[in-house]
């Protein structure tokens, strides 16, 4: 367990507001999670805007680019020092390809099969032989919750934690967007030289959507744990990419939807 669980919320992640508590109609000073836009540029050209909680913005930009199938090298504040902006250096960047990807990902009528085939292009099947005891897996959500500093202050943030097979928390990131929290962890792992995450476990504070399993697939993580439920397409992708998906992990129980041989 890291020392982060006993520290205050990170700077800029929370802000104070006044609210009315009922019953009793008592005015109260409350902390809420900060949500602001972040513009991600590649080579100075804007490619995406995501609503996020400020902090670890370079990690977020790197993780976003990695999980979108790009090859980032570094990320930093832009030369014009524009607020809420990160400039990424990525070799061989094709802005038209990225725009086409965003369009098809958000359009109606795009079938699940096509989405899974797109992930196959971006990432190889996860072949890690990692196996983890069930009791170690079941303990991860509580360990993640203990490290969620900003959530403890606001109740309004998602989190992703990166764990060793022994249950040691090596990185935790929080954000108003569950996708952003995972991208921040992937960006951190990239900077630490840990990718692919063949010997690690990702634990998510919410549900398992297709996009989150996609990001785990690109990061090469063999086991993804969540306190919520997976979607049907997330299960299809986990089966296709060889990822173990564990949902409803709480109170010593879990449901393993794919590749159950990794949970022993």
């Amino acid at each position: 367990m890291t020392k982060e669980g006993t520290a205050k919320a990170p700077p800029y992640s929370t802000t104070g507001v006044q609210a009315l508590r009922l019953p009793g109609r008592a005015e109260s000073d409350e902390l809420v999670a900060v949500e602001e836009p972040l513009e991600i540029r590649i080579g100075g050209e804007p490619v995406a805007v995501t609503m996020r909680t400020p902090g670890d913005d370079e990690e977020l930009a790197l993780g976003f680019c990695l999980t979108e199938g790009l090859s980032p090298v570094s990320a930093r504040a832009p030369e014009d020092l524009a607020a809420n902006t990160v400039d990424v250096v990525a070799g061989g960047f094709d802005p038209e390809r990225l725009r086409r990807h965003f369009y098809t990902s958000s359009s109606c009528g795009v079938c699940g099969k096509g989405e899974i085939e797109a992930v196959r292009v971006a990432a190889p099947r996860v072949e890690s032989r990692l196996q983890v005891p069930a009791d170690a897996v079941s303990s991860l959500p509580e360990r993640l919750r203990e490290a969620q500093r900003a959530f403890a202050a606001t109740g309004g943030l998602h989190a992703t934690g990166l764990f060793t097979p022994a249950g040691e928390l090596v990185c935790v990131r929080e954000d108003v967007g569950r996708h952003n929290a995972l991208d921040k962890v992937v960006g951190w792992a990239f900077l630490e030289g840990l990718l692919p995450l063949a010997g690690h476990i990702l634990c998510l504070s919410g549900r398992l959507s297709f996009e989150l399993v996609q990001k785990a697939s690109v990061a090469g993580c063999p086991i993804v744990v969540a306190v919520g439920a997976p979607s049907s397409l997330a299960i299809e992708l986990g089966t296709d990419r060889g990822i173990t998906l564990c949902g409803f992990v709480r109170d010593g129980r879990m449901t393993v939807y794919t590749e159950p041989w990794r949970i022993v």
Side-chain angles (χ1 to χ4, degrees):
M1 176 68 186
T2 67
K3 295 180 180 179
E4 294 177 342
T6 59
K8 294 181 180 180
Y12 315 117
S13 65
T14 65
T15 187
V17 300
Q18 278 201 325
L20 182 68
R21 289 200 171 190
L22 299 175
R25 305 193 65 83
E27 291 190 357
S28 175
D29 293 325
E30 301 288 333
L31 283 177
V32 298
V34 173
E35 182 176 26
E36 294 181 355
L38 177 68
E39 180 181 83
I40 298 174
R41 301 176 182 174
I42 298 182
E45 179 176 350
V47 297
V49 175
T50 184
M51 301 303 295
R52 95 319 185 181
T53 299
D56 308 304
D57 287 341
E58 290 81 7
E59 294 175 357
L60 171 56
L62 288 168
F64 171 84
C65 289
L66 284 162
T67 58
E68 291 298 331
L70 303 177
S71 300
V73 176
S74 61
R76 57 177 174 79
E79 292 183 359
D80 59 8
L81 300 180
N84 289 329
T85 304
V86 172
D87 202 347
V88 177
V89 176
F93 170 58
D94 177 5
E96 285 303 317
R97 189 205 69 79
L98 189 59
R99 274 192 282 269
R100 288 194 300 272
H101 174 75
F102 286 153
Y103 173 76
T104 57
S105 293
S106 61
S107 297
C108 295
V110 178
C111 70
K113 181 179 178 181
E115 290 287 271
I116 291 174
E117 288 176 350
V119 178
R120 289 175 185 165
V121 173
R125 180 178 168 87
V126 177
E127 301 292 353
S128 169
R129 305 306 297 175
L130 178 66
Q131 291 185 301
V132 182
D135 58 350
V137 173
S138 65
S139 71
L140 298 185
E142 182 60 30
R143 297 187 182 200
L144 177 63
R145 180 66 174 269
E146 291 171 355
Q148 290 180 243
R149 296 172 289 164
F151 179 85
T154 67
L157 289 164
H158 294 284
T160 294
L162 184 67
F163 290 86
T164 68
E168 177 188 0
L169 178 61
V170 295
C171 177
V172 60
R173 295 291 182 265
E174 295 181 274
D175 200 278
V176 290
R178 57 173 60 91
H179 305 85
N180 294 338
L182 180 49
D183 279 340
K184 287 179 178 181
V185 168
V186 173
W188 176 87
F190 171 78
L191 292 172
E192 294 293 317
L194 294 178
L195 296 180
L197 298 173
H200 290 81
I201 307 166
L202 285 167
C203 182
L204 314 179
S205 62
R207 61 184 177 85
L208 283 166
S209 67
F210 171 86
E211 291 84 0
L212 294 171
V213 179
Q214 170 196 352
K215 292 176 182 295
S217 172
V218 176
C221 187
I223 302 176
V224 183
V225 175
V227 298
S231 68
S232 62
L233 194 56
I235 293 172
E236 288 184 43
L237 180 60
T239 300
D240 183 83
R241 297 289 82 197
I243 299 174
T244 300
L245 301 181
C246 303
F248 297 110
V249 184
R250 58 179 80 121
D251 301 324
R253 300 188 300 271
M254 73 184 77
T255 303
V256 185
Y257 292 88
T258 57
E259 305 294 334
W261 59 268
R262 288 200 179 97
I263 309 302
V264 296

